[in-house]
């Protein structure tokens, strides 16, 4: 994305919101977004705050991501970084074909990460973010085979890593010294929204309490790695259903037995379980097999 340089005359402390919104609207017009972006002042629980309306549902996902990036640059221009946390926004809760359920006053950088995610793949159906508990859920259609999981991972693995890193970073930036740190979680749900008669769902998830910075989390790439692992496990799991792959300390793989065994023998289940355990021993701490938990650290589990 191109970087746009803005200049404003407002001071960092206590900017005149009327003047600032007017300046931002002039910039919007000069860059050709006059029909899609408009600033104003909103009463937010008794407090005047800068508000921006964006017509993201009227353009392609790529164009929506460009618009959100443009607005972010405006909000953090000339020492106005605090506006990323205080500006409210509205965009009709849709980007492309994806329904976006996100608080209207979260760190604007999170919305930018969501827009990048939707632009990366037309498979994104829903994104739900709950700031009260620090949890994001992303929904895509289900995958019948490992190649489908790999394809989804190639498209959205890196954007998911960025979204989670931005989520943790925004939470850390907005936390006061008296606030108690809490887990930040993100789950990718792969499965039909109407579950009856659909493909078996697969969940890729992460919940992390580590105090890591944005760049470290992006480079860590845990969600990308979990997607790669899920594709590999789906390939070797035989009659088992791969239910979930995710976590950090412990990282775990969850298998469940299908309602219909489709003629698979107990020996086939045992062989496939052993293959999954051998795979898990390299990077995963726990393998859940139906209601049984296998700890890879137990002596004799991994050769």
């Amino acid at each position: 994305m191109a970087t746009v340089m803005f200049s404003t005359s407002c001071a960092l402390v206590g900017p005149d919101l009327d003047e600032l919104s007017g300046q931002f609207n002039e910039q919007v017009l000069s860059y050709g977004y006059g029909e899609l972006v408009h600033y104003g002042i909103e009463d937010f629980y008794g407090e005047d705050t800068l508000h921006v309306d964006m017509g993201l549902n009227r353009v392609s996902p790529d164009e929506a991501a460009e618009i959100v990036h443009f607005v972010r640059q405006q909000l953090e221009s000339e020492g106005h970084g605090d506006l990323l946390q205080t500006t409210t926004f509205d965009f009709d809760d849709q980007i492309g074909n994806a329904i976006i359920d996100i608080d209207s006053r979260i760190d604007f950088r999170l919305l930018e990460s969501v827009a990048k995610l939707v632009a990366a793949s037309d498979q994104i159906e829903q994104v739900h973010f709950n700031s009260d508990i620090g949890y994001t859920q992303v929904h895509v259609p289900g995958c019948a085979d490992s190649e489908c999981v790999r394809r989804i991972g190639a498209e959205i693995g890196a954007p998911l890593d960025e979204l989670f890193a931005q989520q943790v970073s925004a939470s850390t930036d907005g936390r006061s010294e008296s606030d108690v740190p809490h887990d930040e979680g993100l789950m990718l749900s792969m499965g039909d929204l109407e579950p009856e008669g659909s493909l078996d769902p697969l969940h890729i998830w992460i919940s992390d309490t580590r105090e890591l910075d944005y760049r470290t989390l992006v480079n860590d790439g845990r969600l990308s790695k979990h997607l790669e692992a899920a594709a590999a496990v789906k390939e070797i799991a035989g009659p088992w259903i791969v239910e979930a792959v995710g976590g950090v300390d412990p990282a775990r793989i969850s298998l469940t037995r299908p309602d219909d065994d489709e003629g698979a023998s107990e020996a086939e289940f045992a062989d496939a379980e052993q293959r999954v355990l051998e795979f898990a021993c390299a990077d995963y701490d726990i393998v859940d097999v139906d209601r049984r938990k296998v700890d890879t650290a137990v002596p004799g589990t991994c050769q």
Side-chain angles (χ1 to χ4, degrees), residues 228-257:
E228 293 170 5
V233 173
K234 198 171 182 69
E235 200 164 25
I236 62 177
W240 292 103
I241 295 171
V242 186
E243 192 172 46
V245 176
V248 176
D249 299 329
R252 64 200 308 149
I253 295 168
S254 298
L255 306 176
T256 188
R257 200 177 184 106

PDB file of all heavy atoms in Angstrom, residues 228-257:
ATOM      1  N   GLU A 228      -0.575 -25.097   8.776  1.00  0.00           N
ATOM      2  CA  GLU A 228       0.273 -26.081   8.099  1.00  0.00           C
ATOM      3  C   GLU A 228       0.184 -27.435   8.791  1.00  0.00           C
ATOM      4  O   GLU A 228       0.086 -28.488   8.138  1.00  0.00           O
ATOM      5  CB  GLU A 228       1.726 -25.598   8.091  1.00  0.00           C
ATOM      6  CG  GLU A 228       1.968 -24.363   7.235  1.00  0.00           C
ATOM      7  CD  GLU A 228       3.355 -23.774   7.441  1.00  0.00           C
ATOM      8  OE1 GLU A 228       4.159 -24.395   8.175  1.00  0.00           O
ATOM      9  OE2 GLU A 228       3.634 -22.700   6.878  1.00  0.00           O
ATOM     10  N   ALA A 229       0.202 -27.419  10.120  1.00  0.00           N
ATOM     11  CA  ALA A 229       0.094 -28.665  10.878  1.00  0.00           C
ATOM     12  C   ALA A 229      -1.262 -29.319  10.670  1.00  0.00           C
ATOM     13  O   ALA A 229      -1.358 -30.549  10.533  1.00  0.00           O
ATOM     14  CB  ALA A 229       0.329 -28.389  12.362  1.00  0.00           C
ATOM     15  N   ALA A 230      -2.328 -28.517  10.635  1.00  0.00           N
ATOM     16  CA  ALA A 230      -3.668 -29.066  10.442  1.00  0.00           C
ATOM     17  C   ALA A 230      -3.778 -29.781   9.103  1.00  0.00           C
ATOM     18  O   ALA A 230      -4.398 -30.851   9.005  1.00  0.00           O
ATOM     19  CB  ALA A 230      -4.707 -27.953  10.532  1.00  0.00           C
ATOM     20  N   ALA A 231      -3.177 -29.214   8.058  1.00  0.00           N
ATOM     21  CA  ALA A 231      -3.193 -29.860   6.748  1.00  0.00           C
ATOM     22  C   ALA A 231      -2.455 -31.189   6.803  1.00  0.00           C
ATOM     23  O   ALA A 231      -2.929 -32.207   6.260  1.00  0.00           O
ATOM     24  CB  ALA A 231      -2.560 -28.945   5.704  1.00  0.00           C
ATOM     25  N   ALA A 232      -1.295 -31.210   7.464  1.00  0.00           N
ATOM     26  CA  ALA A 232      -0.519 -32.447   7.565  1.00  0.00           C
ATOM     27  C   ALA A 232      -1.273 -33.508   8.367  1.00  0.00           C
ATOM     28  O   ALA A 232      -1.315 -34.694   7.988  1.00  0.00           O
ATOM     29  CB  ALA A 232       0.827 -32.155   8.211  1.00  0.00           C
ATOM     30  N   VAL A 233      -1.877 -33.102   9.481  1.00  0.00           N
ATOM     31  CA  VAL A 233      -2.600 -34.060  10.325  1.00  0.00           C
ATOM     32  C   VAL A 233      -3.830 -34.589   9.599  1.00  0.00           C
ATOM     33  O   VAL A 233      -4.145 -35.778   9.675  1.00  0.00           O
ATOM     34  CB  VAL A 233      -2.988 -33.411  11.669  1.00  0.00           C
ATOM     35  CG1 VAL A 233      -3.881 -34.344  12.473  1.00  0.00           C
ATOM     36  CG2 VAL A 233      -1.744 -33.062  12.467  1.00  0.00           C
ATOM     37  N   LYS A 234      -4.520 -33.713   8.883  1.00  0.00           N
ATOM     38  CA  LYS A 234      -5.705 -34.156   8.143  1.00  0.00           C
ATOM     39  C   LYS A 234      -5.327 -35.229   7.120  1.00  0.00           C
ATOM     40  O   LYS A 234      -6.122 -36.139   6.829  1.00  0.00           O
ATOM     41  CB  LYS A 234      -6.352 -32.952   7.449  1.00  0.00           C
ATOM     42  CG  LYS A 234      -7.801 -33.162   7.016  1.00  0.00           C
ATOM     43  CD  LYS A 234      -8.400 -31.860   6.542  1.00  0.00           C
ATOM     44  CE  LYS A 234      -9.858 -32.025   6.142  1.00  0.00           C
ATOM     45  NZ  LYS A 234     -10.750 -32.287   7.282  1.00  0.00           N
ATOM     46  N   GLU A 235      -4.107 -35.145   6.616  1.00  0.00           N
ATOM     47  CA  GLU A 235      -3.638 -36.093   5.614  1.00  0.00           C
ATOM     48  C   GLU A 235      -3.332 -37.462   6.211  1.00  0.00           C
ATOM     49  O   GLU A 235      -3.482 -38.489   5.541  1.00  0.00           O
ATOM     50  CB  GLU A 235      -2.382 -35.533   4.947  1.00  0.00           C
ATOM     51  CG  GLU A 235      -2.051 -36.141   3.600  1.00  0.00           C
ATOM     52  CD  GLU A 235      -1.056 -35.279   2.836  1.00  0.00           C
ATOM     53  OE1 GLU A 235      -0.284 -34.527   3.470  1.00  0.00           O
ATOM     54  OE2 GLU A 235      -1.062 -35.354   1.598  1.00  0.00           O
ATOM     55  N   ILE A 236      -2.910 -37.508   7.477  1.00  0.00           N
ATOM     56  CA  ILE A 236      -2.488 -38.775   8.081  1.00  0.00           C
ATOM     57  C   ILE A 236      -3.474 -39.319   9.103  1.00  0.00           C
ATOM     58  O   ILE A 236      -3.258 -40.406   9.657  1.00  0.00           O
ATOM     59  CB  ILE A 236      -1.110 -38.615   8.772  1.00  0.00           C
ATOM     60  CG1 ILE A 236      -1.185 -37.599   9.908  1.00  0.00           C
ATOM     61  CG2 ILE A 236      -0.054 -38.205   7.744  1.00  0.00           C
ATOM     62  CD1 ILE A 236       0.119 -37.448  10.693  1.00  0.00           C
ATOM     63  N   ALA A 237      -4.562 -38.599   9.363  1.00  0.00           N
ATOM     64  CA  ALA A 237      -5.465 -38.971  10.458  1.00  0.00           C
ATOM     65  C   ALA A 237      -6.392 -40.129  10.130  1.00  0.00           C
ATOM     66  O   ALA A 237      -7.127 -40.579  11.013  1.00  0.00           O
ATOM     67  CB  ALA A 237      -6.286 -37.752  10.892  1.00  0.00           C
ATOM     68  N   GLY A 238      -6.373 -40.604   8.881  1.00  0.00           N
ATOM     69  CA  GLY A 238      -7.196 -41.761   8.531  1.00  0.00           C
ATOM     70  C   GLY A 238      -8.653 -41.540   8.860  1.00  0.00           C
ATOM     71  O   GLY A 238      -9.241 -40.509   8.482  1.00  0.00           O
ATOM     72  N   PRO A 239      -9.282 -42.478   9.615  1.00  0.00           N
ATOM     73  CA  PRO A 239     -10.719 -42.343   9.912  1.00  0.00           C
ATOM     74  C   PRO A 239     -11.033 -41.298  10.984  1.00  0.00           C
ATOM     75  O   PRO A 239     -12.198 -40.938  11.165  1.00  0.00           O
ATOM     76  CB  PRO A 239     -11.107 -43.744  10.392  1.00  0.00           C
ATOM     77  CG  PRO A 239      -9.846 -44.320  10.952  1.00  0.00           C
ATOM     78  CD  PRO A 239      -8.732 -43.761  10.101  1.00  0.00           C
ATOM     79  N   TRP A 240     -10.019 -40.800  11.691  1.00  0.00           N
ATOM     80  CA  TRP A 240     -10.269 -39.786  12.710  1.00  0.00           C
ATOM     81  C   TRP A 240     -10.655 -38.450  12.074  1.00  0.00           C
ATOM     82  O   TRP A 240     -10.178 -38.099  10.999  1.00  0.00           O
ATOM     83  CB  TRP A 240      -9.027 -39.554  13.574  1.00  0.00           C
ATOM     84  CG  TRP A 240      -8.640 -40.696  14.450  1.00  0.00           C
ATOM     85  CD1 TRP A 240      -7.632 -41.586  14.244  1.00  0.00           C
ATOM     86  CD2 TRP A 240      -9.266 -41.072  15.679  1.00  0.00           C
ATOM     87  NE1 TRP A 240      -7.577 -42.498  15.258  1.00  0.00           N
ATOM     88  CE2 TRP A 240      -8.571 -42.205  16.160  1.00  0.00           C
ATOM     89  CE3 TRP A 240     -10.329 -40.570  16.418  1.00  0.00           C
ATOM     90  CZ2 TRP A 240      -8.919 -42.841  17.354  1.00  0.00           C
ATOM     91  CZ3 TRP A 240     -10.671 -41.199  17.610  1.00  0.00           C
ATOM     92  CH2 TRP A 240      -9.980 -42.313  18.074  1.00  0.00           C
ATOM     93  N   ILE A 241     -11.497 -37.694  12.760  1.00  0.00           N
ATOM     94  CA  ILE A 241     -11.815 -36.322  12.370  1.00  0.00           C
ATOM     95  C   ILE A 241     -10.854 -35.396  13.110  1.00  0.00           C
ATOM     96  O   ILE A 241     -10.713 -35.477  14.331  1.00  0.00           O
ATOM     97  CB  ILE A 241     -13.264 -35.951  12.726  1.00  0.00           C
ATOM     98  CG1 ILE A 241     -14.247 -36.792  11.916  1.00  0.00           C
ATOM     99  CG2 ILE A 241     -13.512 -34.461  12.471  1.00  0.00           C
ATOM    100  CD1 ILE A 241     -15.688 -36.631  12.361  1.00  0.00           C
ATOM    101  N   VAL A 242     -10.158 -34.543  12.370  1.00  0.00           N
ATOM    102  CA  VAL A 242      -9.295 -33.533  12.997  1.00  0.00           C
ATOM    103  C   VAL A 242     -10.200 -32.379  13.422  1.00  0.00           C
ATOM    104  O   VAL A 242     -10.736 -31.651  12.599  1.00  0.00           O
ATOM    105  CB  VAL A 242      -8.201 -33.043  12.033  1.00  0.00           C
ATOM    106  CG1 VAL A 242      -7.249 -32.104  12.762  1.00  0.00           C
ATOM    107  CG2 VAL A 242      -7.441 -34.217  11.429  1.00  0.00           C
ATOM    108  N   GLU A 243     -10.352 -32.237  14.716  1.00  0.00           N
ATOM    109  CA  GLU A 243     -11.312 -31.277  15.253  1.00  0.00           C
ATOM    110  C   GLU A 243     -10.696 -29.902  15.480  1.00  0.00           C
ATOM    111  O   GLU A 243     -11.324 -28.875  15.222  1.00  0.00           O
ATOM    112  CB  GLU A 243     -11.878 -31.818  16.564  1.00  0.00           C
ATOM    113  CG  GLU A 243     -13.073 -31.073  17.083  1.00  0.00           C
ATOM    114  CD  GLU A 243     -13.684 -31.776  18.276  1.00  0.00           C
ATOM    115  OE1 GLU A 243     -12.923 -32.182  19.188  1.00  0.00           O
ATOM    116  OE2 GLU A 243     -14.918 -31.934  18.294  1.00  0.00           O
ATOM    117  N   ALA A 244      -9.459 -29.881  15.988  1.00  0.00           N
ATOM    118  CA  ALA A 244      -8.832 -28.592  16.310  1.00  0.00           C
ATOM    119  C   ALA A 244      -7.315 -28.745  16.354  1.00  0.00           C
ATOM    120  O   ALA A 244      -6.793 -29.795  16.724  1.00  0.00           O
ATOM    121  CB  ALA A 244      -9.339 -28.058  17.649  1.00  0.00           C
ATOM    122  N   VAL A 245      -6.639 -27.671  15.971  1.00  0.00           N
ATOM    123  CA  VAL A 245      -5.184 -27.580  16.095  1.00  0.00           C
ATOM    124  C   VAL A 245      -4.888 -26.173  16.583  1.00  0.00           C
ATOM    125  O   VAL A 245      -5.361 -25.193  16.002  1.00  0.00           O
ATOM    126  CB  VAL A 245      -4.469 -27.822  14.742  1.00  0.00           C
ATOM    127  CG1 VAL A 245      -2.965 -27.633  14.895  1.00  0.00           C
ATOM    128  CG2 VAL A 245      -4.773 -29.218  14.209  1.00  0.00           C
ATOM    129  N   GLY A 246      -4.105 -26.048  17.665  1.00  0.00           N
ATOM    130  CA  GLY A 246      -3.821 -24.698  18.120  1.00  0.00           C
ATOM    131  C   GLY A 246      -3.163 -24.636  19.475  1.00  0.00           C
ATOM    132  O   GLY A 246      -2.678 -25.629  20.015  1.00  0.00           O
ATOM    133  N   GLY A 247      -3.169 -23.425  20.023  1.00  0.00           N
ATOM    134  CA  GLY A 247      -2.642 -23.191  21.349  1.00  0.00           C
ATOM    135  C   GLY A 247      -1.178 -22.813  21.398  1.00  0.00           C
ATOM    136  O   GLY A 247      -0.452 -22.896  20.420  1.00  0.00           O
ATOM    137  N   VAL A 248      -0.775 -22.386  22.571  1.00  0.00           N
ATOM    138  CA  VAL A 248       0.625 -22.095  22.888  1.00  0.00           C
ATOM    139  C   VAL A 248       0.836 -22.543  24.339  1.00  0.00           C
ATOM    140  O   VAL A 248       0.148 -22.080  25.240  1.00  0.00           O
ATOM    141  CB  VAL A 248       0.945 -20.586  22.773  1.00  0.00           C
ATOM    142  CG1 VAL A 248       2.376 -20.316  23.210  1.00  0.00           C
ATOM    143  CG2 VAL A 248       0.730 -20.085  21.360  1.00  0.00           C
ATOM    144  N   ASP A 249       1.777 -23.433  24.546  1.00  0.00           N
ATOM    145  CA  ASP A 249       2.125 -23.869  25.916  1.00  0.00           C
ATOM    146  C   ASP A 249       0.900 -24.183  26.777  1.00  0.00           C
ATOM    147  O   ASP A 249       0.627 -23.469  27.749  1.00  0.00           O
ATOM    148  CB  ASP A 249       2.985 -22.807  26.603  1.00  0.00           C
ATOM    149  CG  ASP A 249       4.294 -22.575  25.874  1.00  0.00           C
ATOM    150  OD1 ASP A 249       4.799 -23.528  25.271  1.00  0.00           O
ATOM    151  OD2 ASP A 249       4.789 -21.428  25.912  1.00  0.00           O
ATOM    152  N   PRO A 250       0.101 -25.197  26.534  1.00  0.00           N
ATOM    153  CA  PRO A 250       0.422 -26.258  25.576  1.00  0.00           C
ATOM    154  C   PRO A 250      -0.190 -26.027  24.195  1.00  0.00           C
ATOM    155  O   PRO A 250      -1.285 -25.489  24.076  1.00  0.00           O
ATOM    156  CB  PRO A 250      -0.228 -27.484  26.224  1.00  0.00           C
ATOM    157  CG  PRO A 250      -1.436 -26.924  26.918  1.00  0.00           C
ATOM    158  CD  PRO A 250      -1.044 -25.556  27.405  1.00  0.00           C
ATOM    159  N   ALA A 251       0.546 -26.467  23.186  1.00  0.00           N
ATOM    160  CA  ALA A 251      -0.011 -26.565  21.834  1.00  0.00           C
ATOM    161  C   ALA A 251      -0.617 -27.955  21.705  1.00  0.00           C
ATOM    162  O   ALA A 251      -0.037 -28.937  22.172  1.00  0.00           O
ATOM    163  CB  ALA A 251       1.086 -26.366  20.795  1.00  0.00           C
ATOM    164  N   ARG A 252      -1.796 -28.033  21.066  1.00  0.00           N
ATOM    165  CA  ARG A 252      -2.477 -29.321  21.071  1.00  0.00           C
ATOM    166  C   ARG A 252      -3.180 -29.601  19.751  1.00  0.00           C
ATOM    167  O   ARG A 252      -3.531 -28.701  18.994  1.00  0.00           O
ATOM    168  CB  ARG A 252      -3.447 -29.421  22.241  1.00  0.00           C
ATOM    169  CG  ARG A 252      -4.600 -28.462  22.231  1.00  0.00           C
ATOM    170  CD  ARG A 252      -5.199 -28.315  23.637  1.00  0.00           C
ATOM    171  NE  ARG A 252      -5.532 -29.574  24.264  1.00  0.00           N
ATOM    172  CZ  ARG A 252      -5.486 -29.763  25.597  1.00  0.00           C
ATOM    173  NH1 ARG A 252      -5.122 -28.785  26.409  1.00  0.00           N
ATOM    174  NH2 ARG A 252      -5.818 -30.932  26.099  1.00  0.00           N
ATOM    175  N   ILE A 253      -3.379 -30.892  19.531  1.00  0.00           N
ATOM    176  CA  ILE A 253      -4.129 -31.401  18.376  1.00  0.00           C
ATOM    177  C   ILE A 253      -5.285 -32.220  18.939  1.00  0.00           C
ATOM    178  O   ILE A 253      -5.085 -33.036  19.845  1.00  0.00           O
ATOM    179  CB  ILE A 253      -3.240 -32.291  17.483  1.00  0.00           C
ATOM    180  CG1 ILE A 253      -2.107 -31.464  16.860  1.00  0.00           C
ATOM    181  CG2 ILE A 253      -4.068 -32.967  16.384  1.00  0.00           C
ATOM    182  CD1 ILE A 253      -1.036 -32.303  16.198  1.00  0.00           C
ATOM    183  N   SER A 254      -6.479 -31.998  18.423  1.00  0.00           N
ATOM    184  CA  SER A 254      -7.651 -32.713  18.931  1.00  0.00           C
ATOM    185  C   SER A 254      -8.282 -33.552  17.824  1.00  0.00           C
ATOM    186  O   SER A 254      -8.583 -33.040  16.743  1.00  0.00           O
ATOM    187  CB  SER A 254      -8.687 -31.720  19.481  1.00  0.00           C
ATOM    188  OG  SER A 254      -8.153 -30.993  20.575  1.00  0.00           O
ATOM    189  N   LEU A 255      -8.458 -34.829  18.118  1.00  0.00           N
ATOM    190  CA  LEU A 255      -9.107 -35.760  17.209  1.00  0.00           C
ATOM    191  C   LEU A 255     -10.414 -36.225  17.830  1.00  0.00           C
ATOM    192  O   LEU A 255     -10.524 -36.357  19.054  1.00  0.00           O
ATOM    193  CB  LEU A 255      -8.218 -36.985  16.956  1.00  0.00           C
ATOM    194  CG  LEU A 255      -6.784 -36.758  16.476  1.00  0.00           C
ATOM    195  CD1 LEU A 255      -6.050 -38.087  16.389  1.00  0.00           C
ATOM    196  CD2 LEU A 255      -6.771 -36.056  15.131  1.00  0.00           C
ATOM    197  N   THR A 256     -11.391 -36.496  16.993  1.00  0.00           N
ATOM    198  CA  THR A 256     -12.643 -37.050  17.476  1.00  0.00           C
ATOM    199  C   THR A 256     -13.087 -38.167  16.551  1.00  0.00           C
ATOM    200  O   THR A 256     -12.783 -38.152  15.350  1.00  0.00           O
ATOM    201  CB  THR A 256     -13.738 -35.961  17.582  1.00  0.00           C
ATOM    202  OG1 THR A 256     -14.883 -36.491  18.236  1.00  0.00           O
ATOM    203  CG2 THR A 256     -14.144 -35.457  16.204  1.00  0.00           C
ATOM    204  N   ARG A 257     -13.787 -39.107  17.112  1.00  0.00           N
ATOM    205  CA  ARG A 257     -14.246 -40.257  16.329  1.00  0.00           C
ATOM    206  C   ARG A 257     -15.522 -39.872  15.587  1.00  0.00           C
ATOM    207  O   ARG A 257     -16.410 -39.231  16.152  1.00  0.00           O
ATOM    208  CB  ARG A 257     -14.522 -41.448  17.253  1.00  0.00           C
ATOM    209  CG  ARG A 257     -14.543 -42.798  16.564  1.00  0.00           C
ATOM    210  CD  ARG A 257     -14.757 -43.901  17.590  1.00  0.00           C
ATOM    211  NE  ARG A 257     -14.679 -45.207  16.988  1.00  0.00           N
ATOM    212  CZ  ARG A 257     -13.666 -46.044  17.137  1.00  0.00           C
ATOM    213  NH1 ARG A 257     -12.621 -45.680  17.876  1.00  0.00           N
ATOM    214  NH2 ARG A 257     -13.675 -47.233  16.571  1.00  0.00           N
TER     215      ARG A 257
END
